[in-house]
Amino acid sequence: MAKLSRRSFLKAAGSASVLPGVIGAAGIGTAAEAEVSNKTGKAAAATSGPAFFTPNEAAFIEAACARLIPLDELWPGAVEAGVPNYLDKQLGGAWGAGERLYRSGPWQAGTPSQGYQLPFTPAELFRNALRGVEADLKAQGKVFKNLSGDDQDAYLKSLEAGGKDLNGVPSELFFQILLGMTVEGYFSDPAYGGNKDMAAWKMIGFPGAYASYYDLVDQHGVRIARAPMSIADAPPMEHMHQGPDIPAKL
Amino acid sequence: MAQRLKEVDVVVLGVGFVGSIVAKELAAGGLKVVGLERGDPRDTVPDFQGPYVHDELRFAIRKALMQDNTREAVTFRNNAGQTALPVRRWESFLPGTGLGGAGVHWNGQTYRFQAADFILRSHVEERYGKGFADPELSIQDWGVTYADLEPHFDRFEYLLGTSGKAGNLNGKIVEGGDPFEAPRARDYPTPPMKEHYAGAIFRKAANGLGYHPYPQPSSNLSQPYTNPEGLQLNTCVFCGFCERFACEHYAKSSPQTVILPVLLKNPNFELRTGCQVQRINLDSTGKKATGVTYIDAAGREFEQPASLVISALFSFNNVRMLLLSGIGTPFDPATNKGVVGRNYAYQTMSSAQAFFDESVNINPFMASGASGTMINDFAGDSFDHAPHGFIGGSYIGAINTNGRPIEYHPVPPGTPKWGKGWKEAVARHYNHTVSMTIHGSSMPRRANYLDLDPTYKDAWGQPLLRMTFDFPQNDLKMAQFVTNKAVEIGNAMGAKVVAGSPRKGPYTVTQYQTTHNTGGTVMGADPQTSVVNPYLQCWDVPNVFVIGASNFAHNASWNPTGTIGALVYWAIDALKSKYLKAPGALVQA
């Protein structure tokens, strides 16, 4: 596995999405998306900007992502990997609208064991929480993206610690969902708009969506050197086997 | 107004493993059988083909193959003093749906319970004395013995082609297998899977400690196999997309690969998908079923009359179907009377992780759903419980089913939850960690049960099932004891850091544990403490059979599917040799 140098990474990362804290809203849905799209020709259609987040929301999301999974000398962080774009697409799509979420009342707060019990869809939850974050910061005279990295971390930790009510969304819940979805976007298939160039997979040595390891599994300790493969990159099924009464190829 | 359809001999509710096996046998015997499946029809081709099937986000995280909980959820509370609330997203357990049921997205880990499990109360009292088990545990004998079931375990394993190594052939202990297993009449149909690196490291350490490591029995196959139905399976390629996914290779035993092609060819069988069964209908005596009422995908209501009804649903839905139909007396924990919903149990899951030097490439992504090396030294009743004050146990194994990174990115204790430190730890440990599964039994107790929720409804307006559950102290004690053993094994492996995570209470629906939900229509010889008799026939309505993990009187240390498969063939045997010849109660209450 070839590790990207900082220099080559910066080159690979393209135009806007380089330095945390200075990325405008237009960064969402552009650089990462276009890169995946060009490379594979199969990723979802590129968009010209965020479809879900407002400019202020996007600024917070990008700056927060840059602290949750930061850029370092070896590997891209969440922003460079296109995670804000992933979040924008997820929240603007079926998942944001409450896909696979049982949504009948009555609504009441449960115990921690009972899990999520708010009426908000993920899109509604982000919208309300982000409005709450903005108001909270405004009251402190702060703009998140303009804070130093340490101050941004301190603010994120205050959300994580809980106790703030963000328009009905407990801040610790918002933080956990934001962190969870950031990790999802970082490691999910690039077809979803994050994990640009499969850099997160390269970082850990995950060979990606598709492989047969039959010949390797008992070569204990072997190091896999090949580049990972995304769903969009995978060739047509080469492992399709003849099933009873069923043609071998689609 | 329901449209009344032409009567058939048998209606089978749910076409998963249980439903497809029962339907195949009864249709082959000449009966007209209708299978009602609420989900979609689907097959290896075209539905399970790649590359889109290897999408972690879609299938493992968003759970695309699971029951649509926007239409049907479950409510949950830890105890009867709380208000149950809906499980609004599946996390702790993942009920399946659709043709083939959970048999499509299971891992293929295929076990037999130990002989002691089927006579649990008698066995515990005999070995440890009457006062030994915590009195809150409502353990009981199952009304069937391992010896009764052995030929049926065998038949199910040969249907699946299970890959493994016998440890006890007709009472003779065989080197390399599980010496704690009950005697089997013959070896597994196919040899064990290749051993991955994590398994090999575990094996060496476990051997060194004097334990008995053996290859996990796998229904993802080690070699091509043609089953007794004439269907062919291929060799598993260790792609690492097994549980929560469907197999595109014909390498995982599922209803689609081992039985449905035969069933669907039989003109005596008719499959209807998109059918949501509302209830089993009873005649005016309440002691005879007349058929079922269902609503199809377009919202049309039908009545399907039948002479025999077989409820072959996931455990929750077998219980709920009886409650919605008024079959059997619902269990009431306040009075300890009633049976339907009683002895709900789960699985007590713990884990341990061993973190290695960067020179050790574990390659966790080279995995099948059931490739692992494990020990039963602390499972079931393999060991003397007298000094420990609990019953039951856990198997421990390096059971590495995948390296899919959204879910699997292990980090040692003390790692920050995010930021630079987290990222570095993920990169450092991903390929250099052995994860151990500690898969524990779950004992029933009076306070844990299933009933109908008084408030929340499904999309058809029917009450959701309500689960009241928390871990018994017995099981938490057991989890701590076996986790300590796993940590010792991790240290013996030569890991730099070993972190044990014994299961702790309270039970939460927010963390994935297993989908081994059992009980609620328990089998037994006493109608005061069981819903079905030893042949899985309803005590109260003899032309209704209920088959599945809901029959388990407790949940043992192992994954349930092998035992479900044995119960299916056991019940089919009774249906064919007894019931169909003289329909009526097979056991007098």
Side-chain angles (χ1 to χ4, degrees), chain A residues 3 64 67-78 86 90 95 98-118 121-122 152-154 156-157 160 175 179-181 183-189 192 201 203-224 230-232 234-237 239-250, chain B residues 43-46 49-58 61-73 76-78 82-90 194-198 200 222 230-232 234-241 248-250 257 261 265 358-363 365-367 403-406 408-409 417-420 422-424 426-427 430-432 455-458 464 506-510:
Chain A
K3 288 192 173 178
R67 300 312 300 172
L68 294 176
I69 308 180
L71 173 69
D72 62 29
E73 290 175 2
L74 292 173
W75 300 104
Y86 167 86
Q90 289 291 314
W95 184 253
E99 180 185 44
R100 294 191 163 264
L101 178 65
Y102 179 85
R103 291 192 73 212
S104 295
W107 303 94
Q108 71 174 77
T111 66
S113 299
Q114 290 175 308
Y116 184 75
Q117 294 296 338
L118 289 172
T121 62
Q152 288 178 334
D153 284 355
L156 291 173
K157 280 178 185 160
E160 183 181 21
F175 180 87
L179 176 60
M181 289 188 72
V183 172
E184 263 172 32
Y186 195 61
F187 283 122
S188 61
D189 197 282
Y192 289 97
W201 291 353
M203 175 180 89
I204 58 175
F206 176 59
Y210 206 78
S212 161
Y213 300 111
Y214 185 77
D215 294 327
L216 294 176
V217 66
D218 50 359
Q219 293 185 33
H220 294 158
V222 67
R223 190 166 174 79
I224 303 292
S230 105
I231 293 173
M237 293 298 297
H239 293 279
M240 170 75 76
H241 294 289
Q242 177 77 46
D245 307 327
I246 295 170
K249 297 277 181 193
L250 278 175
Chain B
D43 206 348
T44 308
V45 176
Q49 290 308 303
Y52 87 91
V53 291
H54 286 199
D55 181 344
E56 182 185 11
L57 184 71
R58 176 174 174 181
I61 306 298
R62 305 287 194 240
K63 295 146 192 153
L65 294 179
M66 306 309 165
Q67 175 178 319
D68 181 357
N69 69 333
T70 64
R71 301 203 294 184
E72 258 181 297
F76 160 73
R77 56 184 177 174
N78 277 126
Q82 298 173 341
T83 301
L85 297 175
V87 177
R88 296 186 181 275
R89 283 201 197 290
W90 300 131
K194 287 184 174 187
E195 186 172 59
H196 54 46
Y197 195 20
S222 62
L231 298 174
Q232 299 155 28
N234 290 319
T235 306
C236 169
V237 303
F238 295 87
C239 76
F241 288 79
E248 72 271 35
H249 297 295
Y250 296 92
T257 53
K265 267 190 213 157
E358 272 181 295
S359 63
V360 181
N361 295 315
I362 298 298
N363 295 329
F365 41 82
M366 297 183 190
R404 300 184 303 264
I406 300 174
Y408 183 78
H409 46 261
K417 298 271 189 282
W418 51 277
K420 186 170 183 285
W422 175 84
K423 186 185 174 197
E424 285 170 358
V426 167
Y430 172 80
N431 201 22
H432 314 290
T455 306
Y456 294 95
K457 303 275 197 285
D458 69 12
L464 297 183
Y507 169 68
T508 171
V509 294
T510 62

Side-chain angles (χ1 to χ4, degrees), chain B residues 20 176 203 480:
Chain B
S20 53
R203 172 185 296 279
Q480 181 67 60

